[in-house]
Amino acid sequence: TGGAGSLAFNRAFNEMFGVTDGFARVEFSGRTDRFILQGGLAEHGIEGGVDQHLTAFTRRYYQLLPESIAQRDGYLMPGFPELLAALRDAGARLGLATGNFSQAATIKLRHYGIDGYFDGGGFGEVSTERADVVAAAIRNVANGAASTDILVVGDTPHDITSALENKVGAVGVATSNFTTEELSSAGAHNVFQDFADWQSATKQLLG
């Protein structure tokens, strides 16, 4: 989304707490929104913690996010939505295991026209730990599938390690800030540079 999420996050934080660039020292890549918000509150000594401020913060964040998306030059990665359509048509059940708060994920996916491909998932309000989000997605989407039939696809080392912690397949795609080598080093079972060749990727992912 071209950084639209972090832009709206910072705007909401500034409005509520009067802090500009409140998450400058908080890691974003592969982290959950709950982790990021908790980090910002702690960094600036704001009392109350995530649970006290979550409802008010997310309300304003969701209001600001569409405008932030419109201001950024975000775009779908190569191979989308074709890969999603091919996997769905082949009978794969698709879900989200995202650090985004649930409504933020919906706003982003709807903007790019791909919200209809997913059957629920695990989201950033669940936990500060990415592995907990993946566990929630597995419970909500996998429908009792064997762990050997479940794949988590992600573009950060945190995505890969969270899949491994849940004992499911870990697939890396180097479309963000991490290389194929870094994703492999994190333990990915399979790594793609991108999904531009979505036909080949579909075959590999379906095994």
Side-chain angles (χ1 to χ4, degrees), residues 80-133:
F80 288 91
E82 294 87 355
L83 176 64
L84 299 176
L87 291 171
R88 182 188 61 186
D89 292 346
R93 188 171 171 83
L94 304 178
L96 295 166
T98 174
N100 284 272
F101 290 135
S102 54
Q103 192 171 331
T106 298
I107 291 169
K108 292 178 181 180
L109 295 175
R110 187 171 293 152
H111 177 83
Y112 294 105
I114 57 173
D115 54 306
Y117 289 100
F118 300 98
D119 298 314
F123 301 93
E125 56 263 55
V126 168
S127 174
T128 58
E129 297 300 324
R130 190 76 182 217
D132 295 337
V133 172

Side-chain angles (χ1 to χ4, degrees), residues 59-73:
R59 182 187 302 117
R60 187 60 182 138
Y61 171 51
Y62 298 151
Q63 292 170 344
L64 292 167
L65 184 55
E67 179 184 355
S68 295
I69 293 173
Q71 292 175 345
R72 296 290 178 153
D73 296 322

